[in-house]
Amino acid sequence: DPENSTALNNLGVAVAKINLEIKATEMYKRSVEKGNTLAMANLAQCFLNIGLVEEADGLIKKALKDDEPHENVPKVLSKIKEKQEGEKTEWNNILTMATNFRNFMRSYTSAYFNDYSKLGKFSGVWVNDEDQEVEFNVHNQRLMADWIGKPVGLSSTAYKHKLSGTVHNNSAVLEYKREPIDKTKRFSLLGSFDTLSLDCYAYITYDHNEIHITAQDPRKDCRLKFRKQNT
């Protein structure tokens, strides 16, 4: 029956399963025109999947006016709210990440083009956030540094950290590697102990007291800081 709203909705579901999305949307719309609230929920989900939240919300509000809306209608309404809140949180996180990376790159660029003074060189002993002394060696503009980090949290696995790369004025382009000391121990109840390797930017602050390092890909959560050892 081409006029049966339930049959039209079911056809939409069937063709969606074989990836005929345009035809599925057509069937849902025809069913919606006949007042089928399940089709409204299905079409609203289609809209939501491609970010048309206002269209999805409008369909759900229309479905809720029915005396007996399908049980899927409030479920899709909940998904709309969850997606809105989730994307709002993610958007704020992206803005924060982008702002932090922009500020870092401004300082990095300044360090790249400015020599500051002889005091601002990488060579020497620096102290990381774990209060460990780390010696930075620079020879022919090549930087090398490595240290054994302390175990994190409840983990008993220590990591070896290594920085290597090229220095230019008071900036550097580095590769940061982190790998477990015990390479035979890759998994535990606390997670995996895989090797991490990231391309990074680094710079010395204008007051010569700190080295800041971050991943070139701002989506990677990698920030290292070293302060000058007190003499």
Side-chain angles (χ1 to χ4, degrees):
D1 182 357
E3 300 302 318
N4 186 294
S5 68
T6 300
L8 290 169
N9 175 75
N10 291 347
L11 275 172
V13 173
V15 295
K17 289 181 178 179
I18 55 174
N19 300 319
L20 297 179
E21 297 176 357
I22 296 175
K23 181 59 68 174
T25 301
E26 176 189 329
M27 295 299 177
Y28 291 147
K29 285 183 175 180
R30 288 173 59 185
S31 183
V32 166
E33 290 172 357
K34 300 182 184 304
N36 190 293
T37 58
L38 176 56
M40 294 177 193
N42 288 337
L43 186 57
Q45 183 64 60
C46 291
F47 287 149
L48 184 61
N49 290 342
I50 58 174
L52 297 176
V53 66
E54 292 183 6
E55 289 78 357
D57 189 59
L59 268 174
I60 292 301
K61 287 179 178 178
K62 178 180 178 180
L64 288 172
K65 292 179 180 179
D66 191 89
D67 292 337
E68 295 183 7
H70 192 275
E71 62 182 13
N72 283 12
V73 172
K75 292 180 181 178
V76 176
L77 177 61
S78 178
K79 289 180 181 179
I80 291 173
K81 293 180 178 179
E82 287 177 5
K83 191 171 183 66
Q84 286 176 317
E85 289 301 316
E87 289 207 1
K88 180 180 178 181
T89 299
E90 182 64 17
W91 177 241
N92 289 333
N93 290 340
I94 289 171
L95 289 179
T96 299
M97 175 183 68
T99 299
N100 291 339
F101 190 71
R102 177 197 63 191
N103 293 340
F104 180 97
M105 290 306 297
R106 284 176 174 171
S107 297
Y108 169 82
T109 303
S110 177
Y112 181 90
F113 287 107
N114 293 284
D115 194 19
Y116 302 164
S117 75
K118 296 299 182 182
L119 296 174
K121 300 307 179 185
F122 284 90
S123 291
V125 178
W126 299 78
V127 180
N128 65 15
D129 285 337
E130 296 180 332
D131 290 324
Q132 294 175 298
E133 293 183 356
V134 180
E135 184 175 2
F136 282 65
N137 295 294
V138 179
H139 181 67
N140 292 332
Q141 304 304 110
R142 292 291 301 173
L143 182 151
M144 295 289 294
D146 59 75
W147 68 99
I148 304 298
K150 298 177 181 179
V152 179
L154 298 175
S155 173
S156 61
T157 299
Y159 285 88
K160 180 177 181 179
H161 304 260
K162 181 179 180 180
L163 292 167
S164 61
T166 305
V167 171
H168 180 83
N169 287 333
N170 286 279
S171 71
V173 176
L174 304 172
E175 180 184 30
Y176 167 63
K177 283 189 175 182
R178 186 195 70 193
E179 58 184 1
I181 299 298
D182 184 357
K183 295 183 179 181
T184 64
K185 191 176 180 182
R186 295 194 59 193
F187 299 96
S188 78
L189 293 175
L190 298 174
S192 64
F193 304 111
D194 290 333
T195 297
L196 175 68
S197 179
L198 293 172
D199 293 325
C200 296
Y201 294 121
Y203 70 88
I204 300 175
T205 56
Y206 193 76
D207 60 8
H208 319 301
N209 288 327
E210 293 180 345
I211 295 174
H212 290 262
I213 302 172
T214 196
Q216 293 182 17
D217 184 345
R219 296 169 296 180
K220 304 294 184 181
D221 185 18
C222 178
R223 291 180 296 275
L224 303 174
K225 184 175 75 173
F226 298 85
R227 65 183 186 276
K228 180 173 287 186
Q229 183 188 46
N230 293 326
T231 57

